[in-house]
Each structure stands twice: as C-alpha cells, then as structure tokens.
Amino acid sequence: RRWAPTPPASPSRHHGIAHAAVLWRRHPRPPPRLLASTAASRSSEPRPAEEAEATVTVITLGWFGSQERHVRKYANLWEDRLGVSRTFTFRPSIPAVFFPKLGQREARAFMDAVPQPRGHGELVVWHVLSQGGFTFFGTLLLLLESQRRLGGGGGAEVDEVGNTKQLRFSALVMDSGPCLELTPRDASAGTMSGLFSGLGILTEDQATQLYATSGAFKWAWTGLWSLYKSLWYDNWREEILRAFWRLGPVPQLYLYSAEDKIISCENIEAFIAKQREMLAREGRGGGEAVSAVSTRRWETGRHVNLLRDHPAEYEAALATFLDDLKKKGKRNEEREE
C-alpha cells in the first residue's frame, strides 16, 4: 500500500510526528511530517489563563508496537486536563527499537521534524513509555553526543544543563519502565505483546505466558535472544545507559505497577536505585540531585495501561510533578534576574 499524505486536520495544539514505520516499506521514504491531531479539546472546564499561557511542551514517545490512538491519549491528558500549551507524539518503529543503525536513522528523522523550543524559558517534558520508548530516547541522546563530538554538527551543541539547539530536556516522565537489562522472559513478553496483542492474534496474557508455558518456544527464543544480545543488544544497551547517566539531575517521575507482567516492578526499581546511585556518585546538582528522582507505584495496573487503570491518580501524579517543575523554573528565572 503506497504512502499518501494525510489531508490537513482541524487546528489543534497537538501534533503527531508521522509514524516511522513508513521507513521500512518498499516505496521511497516520505519526509518526516508533523500532523495536526483530529482530536478536539475535551476539557469541559476552562483552564486558568496563567496555565493556558504557560510555555510547556510535552513530547510523548510510544512503546514497542504502540498504536497512534493509544499514544494520543497521553497528549490529550496533558493538554485537556493539565493545561499544557503544546504536545507532540512519536511512535518508534519496531525495526528502530531492535537494531541500532535503524534506530539512529529514525532518530535523525525525528530531530529534523521536531520543532525548536519556543524561547529560553520553555519547559520541555519527555513522556517516555516502556522499554521501547526508552530505547529510542537513549538513541537520541547518543546521536546528540556523536554530533557534539563531530563539532556540533546539526546544531547539537549541549550546555551544562542538558539543553541543545534542537532538543531540550527539562524533565522526564517514565511510564512502565525502564529496566537495566531485559531478561529473556521480559524480552519475550514485550516482543510478543507488542507484535501480536495489538493485532488481536494473542491476548496480553497469552503473549506474556508463552515463554513459561511452551517449552519449544522457550528453547527457540533463548537461542535467538542470546544471538541478538551478542550481536547488538549488549553494547547498545550499555551505550544507552551511559548516555542516560550523563544527562544528569533532570527531574524524573517514574510511574509503574507491582503487577506489571512485561517488566517487573523489581527490575524497574533496580533501575531507579541505580539512577539515584549514579547521581549521588557524580555529585551533579548538589543536594537536589537524588531528590530529582520521584516515583509513583501502584499495586495493580497493567503494562502501559496505568492511565486507563488509574486515571484520576495518574493525572494527579502528573499535575503535582508539572506544578513542581513550573515552580522550580520560576525560581531559576528569578535568580537569573
């Protein structure tokens, strides 16, 4: 099926960066596009003027195998309920999450398409979903670092607080991940769920239980995963983690569930503990470094379904985080003055 441009939608503050699956079709790749959302504002209550005018942008990175309608719900929440003035969504393609070279190509396309921050004081929040979103986020960090080493090519000059001419990292929201390393079971659950659950071929429970219930599948997957680790995953994972640690004490909120069947809460909490350890060890940000990491854990809730399973509490966690971020930004501006 040939790719064709989407007709312009009605004006909206939300934009979706064209799904990068088009990169892997047989036809020539179209240029990256920003599409206006067809979703109208759903807020029934007027937002305060000061919040409507706040210079905040949220970039949401979807998970492995995510669909546009799923990722857009997060953008709608930020805009309609939390008063964010601009949002963008991006769903990394499946090949870009599996293979470093393809991930780098897609990261370059993303950087070409994403708009510049609106002024020095704008806050840019990254809402990263699951391990797939984190892998793509880490690939972006690696690309920025490589451009800086080559002399700032592409306008990727990084200052001491992690800002660049193309990308800015004011805060991070991590949903249902990440982990330090995928186990064969977690990798199997995430891959099968991402590939087949959305197509209706397997339910999420069937996808996550396949590794444990089928001896033949477990044997085949273990061999394939071992080969993939040695060829690509181990080095790529370590490079991404090192790039993430170098990002420094950017405010971070981790949202996860104790009953996550894709990435266990123990693995997510191990990542959080390591992040706090790295911040404390490097001493970046003074006494605020470790406190930059905050968490919200639910005892129930499915993988990347916390917004659906706990809508009010999820919104409240984001609202508190955003309010704290705005207050911190205001204090910084006052100090500069």
Side-chain angles (χ1 to χ4, degrees), residues 217-237:
F217 176 84
K218 181 177 180 179
W219 176 84
W221 179 266
T222 301
L224 287 173
W225 183 249
S226 177
L227 178 63
Y228 173 73
K229 275 170 58 66
S230 63
L231 291 177
W232 293 291
Y233 178 70
D234 283 339
N235 289 337
W236 193 18
R237 174 186 63 84

Side-chain angles (χ1 to χ4, degrees), residues 189 192-194 196-210 262:
M192 294 300 104
S193 180
F196 299 118
S197 292
L199 299 175
I201 298 175
L202 293 175
T203 66
E204 181 173 310
D205 286 341
Q206 289 173 332
T208 55
Q209 293 172 6
L210 192 58
I262 305 295

